[in-house]
Amino acid sequence: MAEFLNDVSRTFSEYLLIPGYTDENCTTDKVDVSTTITRYQGSDEKALKLNIPLVSAVMQSVSDDRMAIALAREGGLSFIYGAQSIEDQARMVKKVKDYKAGFVLSDSNISPDATMADVIALKSRSGHSTMAVTDDGSAHGKLLGVVTSRDYRIGKMDPQTKVREFMTPFEKLIYAKEGISLSEANDMIWDHKLNALPVVNDRQQLVAFVFRKDYESHKDNPNELLDEQKRYMVGAGINSRDYQLRVPALIEAGADILCIDSSEGFSVWQKKTIEWIKDKYGDSVKVGAGNVVDGEGFRFLADCGADFVKVGIGGGSICITRETKGIGRGQASAVIDVARARDEYLKETGIYVPICSDGGIVYDYHMTLALAMGADFIMLGRYFARFDESPTDRLIVNGQYVKEYWGEGSNRARNWQRYDMGGKSSLSFEEGVDSYVPYAGPLKDNVGLTISKIKSTMCNCGVTNIHDLQKNARLTLVSATSIVEGGAHDVIVKNNGGNQHLG
């Protein structure tokens, strides 16, 4: 006879946190929301960490290089989607690593025989006003000069004017030689009041640029998630079909961590994928796996060598796996069960394997609940899809700004590798929908507000770090009536669209 679990499959909205004692040292400015995202034993200094407990989902409509840069700037991490060619995904990873390397590969280059019209067109495409003028118009050609917006006047000059006639020639440039340290380059920028410093080799070939804005960016974003070389950190999604080709390309491009992107991770396919990676690279390559919804699934992936385990099936806002297949579990129940298994695994083996809650987040407070229930960090799709930095178009639908958002199991994504069960390479049904989400503006403002809410709630619980929240939080189930009581009720709410009576 089938096994029946006695517990009810519950969601985050069915729980509330009970306040704890808050002393004078428990203030939001002292709350630390950093968290470890890879397995460790004892005080392993090689374990990767996030400065905020948020990562963006492995989805076409969420995580590209632009999202990865914006989120790393705030202290989180993106897993660039894998439902694209290996070359394109590796290129996105490399863009993120090059962006904050300090020494940035020039992506706006032009030849001296190009025209001012070409300069304007290139600026429109790249968004960059500083351009290297090289003999062959490439990023590593012989540097002949530099063009900035100060070198030409639209409307006052003939658009067909050659670049060589208005560029700042090499002889008048302040430049650095290859081998200079980033600190020395920044000193040159400061001493000479430069916006950009070109770096060349002994043959006068362009090697890179160092930009003032990157130095200032770090001052404005102290939580930036950087690797040992001061580059932004970035993750990448992989699958259990072409991993032997995809993984080497992503590692070469600079990916800091990988994640097997699958709707269900308790499978021989994930075991084979993890074992191949660990056999080839050892512990130098970090890879998360999932998704699972119970302790048995967690232990399987932990024993396989997964560096973190992703929790959640069917809880995403665009996921219809539960409707189409009848498989899944309420996200709160899944996180609680897997967190319990993780703690038991730690006691038995001395190894801590972080867990990631993926799906089921509707409100910001659900994130704090997920952390309190045991999640080490949270993967979000819909949340990040709403922002300027997501790769989808912003549209107006029924008078409201929205962003497009679709599931990896939808026909639009055509990410059949994510659902591979060792059979045919195409699906006969969908497990995700194509939708819109309300546009919410820039990532920085929204993530800052979310983290403020999390920190404030942690103070209400009397804790100043995620570990203590997991250890000391007290939670209570809520009834349907108390859920109504928790919102505005029995009043007339004022809003821009008119008055609305509640209650």
Side-chain angles (χ1 to χ4, degrees), residues 106-109 128-132 146-149 195-196 209 211:
S106 177
D107 64 358
S108 295
N109 311 286
H128 299 150
S129 59
T130 299
M131 301 175 192
V146 169
V147 169
T148 72
S149 56
N195 288 323
F209 273 105
F211 292 98

Side-chain angles (χ1 to χ4, degrees), residues 240 260-270 289-294 297 300-301 312-313 321 325 327 418-421 431:
S240 56
I260 304 174
D261 180 36
S262 173
S263 64
E264 202 276 303
F266 196 178
S267 74
V268 65
W269 315 114
Q270 294 220 1
N291 288 19
V292 299
V293 293
D294 64 1
F300 170 79
L301 291 175
I313 294 176
T321 295
K325 297 170 70 174
I327 287 200
R418 186 176 196 267
Y419 298 84
D420 177 50
M421 299 291 286
E431 292 188 45

Side-chain angles (χ1 to χ4, degrees), residues 48-61:
L48 298 183
K49 293 185 177 181
L50 300 174
N51 292 329
I52 62 172
L54 308 181
V55 300
S56 66
V58 191
M59 300 177 70
Q60 296 172 15
S61 56

Side-chain angles (χ1 to χ4, degrees), residues 97 100 225-233 254 256:
K97 302 307 291 186
K100 195 59 175 67
L225 190 65
L226 306 175
D227 64 15
E228 293 178 350
Q229 299 177 51
K230 306 300 182 184
R231 302 176 300 178
Y232 282 142
M233 291 180 62
D256 296 282

Side-chain angles (χ1 to χ4, degrees), residues 161-202:
T161 304
K162 298 290 186 182
V163 168
R164 65 173 69 254
E165 296 180 32
F166 60 87
M167 69 180 187
T168 301
F170 181 79
E171 307 81 59
K172 293 185 179 181
L173 292 177
I174 295 172
Y175 61 91
K177 283 295 188 73
E178 186 177 22
I180 189 174
S181 71
L182 183 58
S183 177
E184 292 170 334
N186 282 323
D187 286 342
M188 287 185 67
I189 287 174
W190 182 264
D191 292 341
H192 295 282
K193 299 180 181 180
L194 305 174
N195 288 323
L197 176 71
V199 180
V200 299
N201 62 20
D202 291 336

Side-chain angles (χ1 to χ4, degrees), residues 54 74 364 367 383-384 386-389 438-453:
L54 308 181
E74 300 307 312
D364 284 358
M367 300 183 200
Y383 175 85
F384 287 113
R386 304 172 302 144
F387 303 151
D388 284 324
E389 293 82 0
Y439 167 68
L443 178 146
K444 182 179 181 64
D445 295 344
N446 286 277
V447 168
L449 179 60
T450 294
I451 295 300
S452 293
K453 291 178 182 178

Side-chain angles (χ1 to χ4, degrees), residues 79-138:
F79 286 93
I80 290 179
Y81 69 91
Q84 58 179 319
S85 72
I86 294 172
E87 295 75 18
D88 287 344
Q89 188 185 20
R91 192 175 299 115
M92 284 189 181
V93 169
K94 192 173 187 306
K95 279 186 179 181
V96 180
K97 302 307 291 186
D98 287 343
Y99 184 87
K100 195 59 175 67
F103 297 96
V104 181
L105 177 66
S106 177
D107 64 358
S108 295
N109 311 286
I110 203 159
S111 75
D113 292 323
T115 65
M116 187 180 80
D118 295 325
V119 169
I120 296 169
L122 178 57
K123 180 181 178 182
S124 177
R125 290 196 305 273
S126 69
H128 299 150
S129 59
T130 299
M131 301 175 192
V133 183
T134 59
D135 58 347
D136 58 1
S138 73

